[in-house]
Amino acid sequence: LRTAPDLRRARSRDGRTTMAEALQPPDSEMPRRKLSFSDSDGLSTSTSAAPERMQAFVRLRPLSGKEARATIATTETDCTISLNKPSAQGYGTIEEHSFSFDGVFGPDASQPEVYEAVMRPQVQALLEGRDTLTFAYGITNAGKTYTVQGGAAPEQRGVLPRALCSIFGALDALRAGGEAAAGSRLDPSCSYKVAASFLEIYGAEAHDLLAPAEKAGSWWQGIRGRGPVPLRIKEGGGKVSVDGLKEAVWADLAEALAAVEYGWANRQSASNGVNDVSSRSHAVLSIKLLVTPAGESKPKVTRLTVVDLAGAEKQKLTQSSGERLNEANAINKDLMVLGHCLRDLRWNQSHPKGTQRVPPYRNSRITMLFRDFLSGSGQTVVIAALNPRAIDAQSTLETLRFASVAQQIKTKPAPAPAKEAPAK
């Protein structure tokens, strides 16, 4: 297995197409309101060039125990997988599939390496006034949640807590008037505030992960003693919004990290036969940077959205049944619809004079939330997490193909005309 952390941009060439004690943010800091996932109140402060397409990175998790390894070879940007296929005569034949991505991380890649290449540019885009989306995709037990959230030790922090450190670090430097503020391109004459919402998509329902426990319903009371109140995702006026989703205003890094950990503890997880702590829902954290220019009373807003998608599952491997099987079917459906949307977008862009396809965004709650980003309203990055077990080789190939399609989608990341944020 050949790996290297240095990342260079390349096009796809695939021919075939712990948990800390739960903290409850006060209601006064988390007003219940209808939050829009389609409004782009972009700031006109962008100074660096944005990618013209989605970016895709691949990360292989380390093998554990006596797991047999699939035949996967990697370089800084390339990933090749070889599959043993039975022939008509019953003899095995080797099929080799090669891909190129913006970066490939091997099993020894560190959390800081992944953050610097994948997430720091997204944070910089937020500070410069561009909306961004970063989402982790892959099969169950491939390391998506570890890449996004990471572990408890500082060196194990994932891209999400590291992004929060960078955001608040830039704001603290600005307020202190240090040299770091100049590098972040923030305007000392403006006032800045960070707000966020955190939800999960479980089956066909959306749940607020920051909702205080005492306000939860009894839907899954038998599991945790409390349960989330389902929220309504709806469309109107060309926008997608979530009724009743709380938005927390975070004063500093410590408050932000505590809130994220609280939300993560509320996310639904269970053993699925392959992973002892398997995510049973998609987690969506939307961080808003509210900027109020001098002499104005209402802020302008940009967003950094980080998503940890639940992993695809094959029943013959997990041996799921009952509730776990129902969850797996819902997860697989969401991921299938997401892939369908990407393929339709690629088709439309490759055939501008042909009959345009309509991506089925409404067929899944997660694609409804992704719609504007996938359509080009923002800077989008996918992290494809791979489980290099030999038994998962076919699923690994499917994940690589998904990422290959994603990075062929052209985007239009320039910010929209500035709009005022809704008054609280």
Side-chain angles (χ1 to χ4, degrees):
L1 195 64
R2 304 184 303 277
T3 65
D6 179 47
L7 305 174
R8 298 190 298 269
R9 183 174 300 175
R11 294 182 180 177
S12 168
R13 55 184 174 87
D14 177 33
R16 299 198 300 175
T17 36
T18 105
M19 290 291 181
E21 181 179 358
L23 302 175
Q24 298 179 12
D27 285 350
S28 60
E29 295 179 4
M30 294 169 41
R32 198 171 274 280
R33 53 186 293 198
K34 180 172 70 176
L35 295 183
S36 171
F37 279 76
S38 299
D39 245 348
S40 179
D41 305 328
L43 308 177
S44 56
T45 59
S46 179
T47 58
S48 63
E52 296 181 352
R53 58 169 175 80
M54 291 188 191
Q55 292 185 294
F57 296 85
V58 168
R59 187 181 194 185
L60 284 74
R61 78 153 174 83
L63 290 172
S64 60
K66 298 180 179 180
E67 294 175 329
R69 176 184 292 152
T71 306
I72 302 175
T74 66
T75 65
E76 298 97 330
T77 58
D78 298 340
C79 189
T80 299
I81 183 170
S82 300
L83 279 73
N84 192 346
K85 291 286 187 179
S87 65
Q89 293 77 25
Y91 299 103
T93 59
I94 302 298
E95 288 185 359
E96 190 174 89
H97 304 266
S98 296
F99 304 82
S100 288
F101 299 101
D102 294 278
V104 176
F105 300 95
D108 296 328
S110 67
Q111 296 285 64
E113 286 178 56
V114 176
Y115 174 75
E116 290 298 326
V118 178
M119 200 66 188
R120 186 175 289 280
Q122 297 289 79
V123 172
Q124 188 62 37
L126 172 76
L127 299 178
E128 294 178 355
R130 295 194 299 273
D131 290 343
T132 71
L133 167 67
T134 306
F135 67 95
Y137 177 95
I139 65 172
T140 185
N141 198 31
K144 298 179 299 298
T145 300
Y146 180 77
T147 296
V148 174
Q149 180 65 4
E155 65 274 12
Q156 294 179 341
R157 283 179 172 175
V159 296
L160 173 53
R162 290 177 187 274
L164 290 171
C165 289
S166 294
I167 292 170
F168 281 98
L171 296 178
D172 289 345
L174 175 69
R175 292 161 185 152
E179 293 182 1
S184 68
R185 297 187 176 91
L186 297 176
D187 188 346
S189 67
C190 297
S191 64
Y192 292 85
K193 183 184 297 185
V194 177
S197 60
F198 198 5
L199 64 83
E200 69 173 355
I201 303 296
Y202 178 79
E205 294 183 338
H207 305 142
D208 189 348
L209 294 177
L210 297 182
E214 67 271 12
K215 291 199 171 183
S218 58
W219 176 64
W220 40 284
Q221 208 163 21
I223 299 178
R224 295 183 189 164
R226 64 184 190 276
V229 176
L231 306 177
R232 181 187 177 194
I233 300 177
K234 66 178 185 179
E235 292 181 282
K239 303 175 183 179
V240 176
S241 60
V242 183
D243 282 338
L245 182 62
K246 288 183 176 293
E247 185 173 88
V249 176
W250 294 336
D252 52 36
L253 176 62
E255 185 177 6
L257 293 175
V260 169
E261 190 170 352
Y262 170 81
W264 220 269
N266 285 336
R267 186 185 183 186
Q268 301 194 58
S269 63
S271 173
N272 64 353
V274 175
N275 187 353
D276 290 339
V277 188
S278 171
S279 300
R280 314 312 293 164
S281 65
H282 312 297
V284 182
L285 177 67
S286 183
I287 302 169
K288 291 184 178 182
L289 184 64
L290 298 91
V291 185
T292 306
E296 299 185 20
S297 59
K298 295 183 179 180
K300 300 182 175 76
V301 181
T302 49
R303 298 171 298 161
L304 182 144
T305 302
V306 182
V307 180
D308 179 24
L309 294 172
E313 296 183 15
K314 291 189 175 181
Q315 196 273 339
K316 66 179 181 180
L317 295 180
T318 64
Q319 297 296 308
S320 299
S321 62
E323 184 178 10
R324 296 290 87 80
L325 181 59
N326 291 336
E327 292 168 345
N329 290 338
I331 292 168
N332 291 342
K333 177 199 169 187
D334 287 341
L335 300 180
M336 179 185 69
V337 173
L338 176 57
H340 192 169
C341 290
L342 292 181
R343 290 191 296 272
D344 283 354
L345 288 170
R346 184 183 64 172
W347 167 271
N348 292 343
Q349 294 177 357
S350 302
H351 303 81
K353 296 183 179 179
T355 302
Q356 297 291 283
R357 299 175 178 176
V358 180
Y361 296 120
R362 292 189 180 94
N363 289 358
S364 166
R365 298 294 186 271
I366 198 69
T367 49
M368 287 179 67
L369 297 180
F370 277 19
R371 185 189 66 186
D372 282 10
F373 287 107
L374 297 181
S375 299
S377 179
Q379 184 169 303
T380 302
V381 170
V382 54
I383 307 171
L386 305 183
N387 188 333
R389 298 190 311 168
I391 197 172
D392 293 317
Q394 183 61 43
S395 296
T396 295
L397 175 59
E398 293 168 3
T399 299
L400 291 170
R401 285 176 172 161
F402 174 93
S404 178
V405 171
Q407 73 171 358
Q408 296 175 53
I409 307 299
K410 298 177 183 177
T411 58
K412 301 175 183 178
K419 302 176 183 177
E420 292 182 345
K424 293 187 179 181

